[in-house]
Amino acid sequence: MRPTVRLGRIAHIEIGLHWSVLAIMLLFTWSLADVTLPDLAPAYTTAVYWLAAAAAVVVLFSCLLAHEVAHSVVARRRGVPVDRITLWLLGGVSQLHGEAQTPADELHIAAAGPLTSLVLGAGFGVFAVAVASVGGPALAVATLGWLGALNVILAAFNLLPGAPLDGGRLLHARVWRRTGDRAAATASATRAGARVGYTLVGIGVAFVLLGDIAAVWFVLLGWFLVTAAHAEATAALLVGALANVRVRDVMTEHPVTVPIHTSVSALVEEWFMHHDCSAFPVVDERGSVAGLVTLAKVRSIDRSRWDRLDVADVADARATVAAARPDEAITALLERMSTAVGGAGRALVFDGDELVGIVSPRDVQRAVSLASLRSPGVAGRPDTNSVPA
């Protein structure tokens, strides 16, 4: 998941917010200011409730960030690079660039988040009791107690035994250690994640039918878990099928290029209409690759502008397109392709400075189809590489 807003870096890890965080923060603030805090600490003004609620929600998302930073710091100490942390609607995701090398590494990485949340929850609870014992404001006690409870709930929820939750990572580590089979561990964790998700959906639907509209959160969380578990299982099968495949085995060699100052009209008539390609590398006057122009990008432009625009005006810059070497694993390239801003899911392949190929989604799909014809023993045993809150 790519962040909508970048907040900066913590411990050299990029921190970002997805736009959905703003929606959930507003919902939490409204619920806290309008219902929860007035029930726990009556007799304050509406403005005070809203100020306390806004402050509490900001602190809560700081706690979510601490949960993710804990995952990331332990991951880096265990030799797994971390690309970024993104906070979103249902918590946060630490994007790990690689896999835990041993079950013990995975166990420590997965446990770090819930342990951090439990410590924070206990801390806020102790603080609330201390403020109450000295006769502090009831609103402060209620706010601190709410923060403590939410952190404990966050830890408990994440410890449910199913991928992609932290409890699913712990289950994966246990099965991996017991069997020595990473692929079997992934299958067990994703099946468990789907079961947990369906259970939450069922609980939510039952409570909604009984009149508790707030239980729709169980449905939302459950459906997220089911979807994420199935996606993780599919990704594991994909990476396993391509475990021994190199970029050179997949790429289309010696792709047709287009000069950077070609008009869009000429691009359509002389390139797209005459070649079975949906993208062309763009070269400058010196023959160096400057970017990639795609059919989808051209189709988004009004036809009346085609004669006035050059390829340079519509191409994705080279820096935004995933790049690869012919001898590297296709699985490593797939990670970069999934996060690249430009190229619409394609990658340029270079041998030194020379462009030698291009990898498209169609090329990857063909490689997967061919891999499915091989014997089951050829597939690798990959693991997932993201840790949600």
Side-chain angles (χ1 to χ4, degrees):
M1 175 184 298
R2 297 194 66 83
T4 307
V5 179
R6 287 176 171 78
L7 301 181
R9 291 179 175 272
I10 295 178
H12 304 291
I13 301 169
E14 180 183 310
I15 308 297
L17 290 178
H18 189 261
W19 64 266
S20 57
V21 168
L22 301 177
I24 197 65
M25 288 181 75
L26 288 173
L27 181 60
F28 269 23
T29 302
W30 169 76
S31 175
L32 195 55
D34 195 56
V35 179
T36 306
L37 291 181
D39 286 347
L40 295 175
Y44 289 87
T45 65
T46 300
V48 171
Y49 284 131
W50 276 90
L51 285 172
V57 169
V58 170
V59 173
L60 175 63
F61 276 85
S62 298
C63 293
L64 286 173
L65 179 57
H67 178 116
E68 291 303 321
V69 169
H71 281 310
S72 300
V73 169
V74 174
R76 287 172 57 178
R77 289 178 178 174
R78 294 277 169 167
V80 182
V82 181
D83 289 338
R84 69 178 64 88
I85 293 172
T86 302
L87 297 180
W88 72 299
L89 176 67
L90 297 177
V93 172
S94 296
Q95 190 69 39
L96 310 184
H97 188 71
E99 303 170 350
Q101 297 303 304
T102 68
D105 288 344
E106 182 171 40
L107 188 148
H108 283 86
I109 293 169
L115 181 59
T116 298
S117 295
L118 285 173
V119 170
L120 287 169
F124 282 116
V126 170
F127 197 8
V129 171
V131 172
S133 66
V134 297
L139 184 58
V141 175
T143 303
L144 291 168
W146 181 82
L147 285 168
L150 261 290
N151 273 282
V152 172
I153 291 171
L154 173 65
F157 174 72
N158 270 281
L159 287 172
L160 291 176
L165 297 174
D166 296 330
R169 310 297 179 209
L170 295 173
L171 173 63
H172 184 280
R174 289 197 298 272
V175 175
W176 182 12
R177 182 172 58 187
R178 186 177 69 249
T179 66
D181 189 335
R182 188 195 289 262
T186 300
S188 295
T190 52
R191 285 197 301 267
R195 287 195 294 267
V196 170
Y198 284 125
T199 300
L200 289 176
V201 169
I203 292 172
V205 169
F207 275 98
V208 168
L209 292 177
L210 291 173
D212 185 0
I213 301 301
V216 73
W217 278 106
F218 284 97
V219 178
L220 179 62
L221 289 171
W223 187 247
F224 160 72
L225 287 181
V226 171
T227 303
H230 287 318
E232 190 165 304
T234 301
L237 290 174
L238 172 64
V239 175
L242 299 177
N244 299 312
V245 178
R246 299 292 165 182
V247 171
R248 66 163 60 91
D249 303 323
V250 174
M251 70 183 190
T252 299
E253 296 185 75
H254 310 301
V256 178
T257 61
V258 58
I260 194 168
H261 293 304
T262 304
S263 70
V264 173
S265 294
L267 171 68
V268 172
E269 293 298 328
E270 299 176 26
W271 273 266
F272 283 119
M273 292 297 184
H274 288 84
H275 298 278
D276 183 24
C277 301
S278 57
F280 294 98
V282 178
V283 295
D284 60 21
E285 298 86 348
R286 297 171 298 176
S288 299
V289 177
L292 186 74
V293 62
T294 64
L295 179 58
K297 190 69 169 288
V298 172
R299 290 183 61 187
S300 69
I301 301 168
D302 192 279
R303 289 174 178 265
S304 64
R305 302 176 60 206
W306 284 6
D307 289 326
R308 302 195 303 271
L309 294 175
D310 285 348
V311 169
D313 299 315
V314 300
D316 293 330
R318 175 174 170 175
T320 68
V321 181
R325 302 183 313 277
D327 60 344
E328 73 174 304
I330 188 64
T331 51
L333 175 59
L334 289 177
E335 291 186 27
R336 298 199 296 277
M337 291 171 67
S338 68
T339 58
V341 176
R346 296 169 178 82
L348 298 171
V349 185
F350 295 91
D351 187 358
D353 293 328
E354 180 186 0
L355 177 69
V356 295
I358 185 171
V359 177
S360 69
R362 183 169 61 178
D363 294 325
V364 175
Q365 182 56 54
R366 181 175 183 275
V368 172
S369 298
L370 291 175
S372 68
L373 300 178
R374 301 189 182 101
S375 63
V378 170
R381 304 184 185 281
D383 188 19
T384 182
N385 66 341
S386 63
V387 181

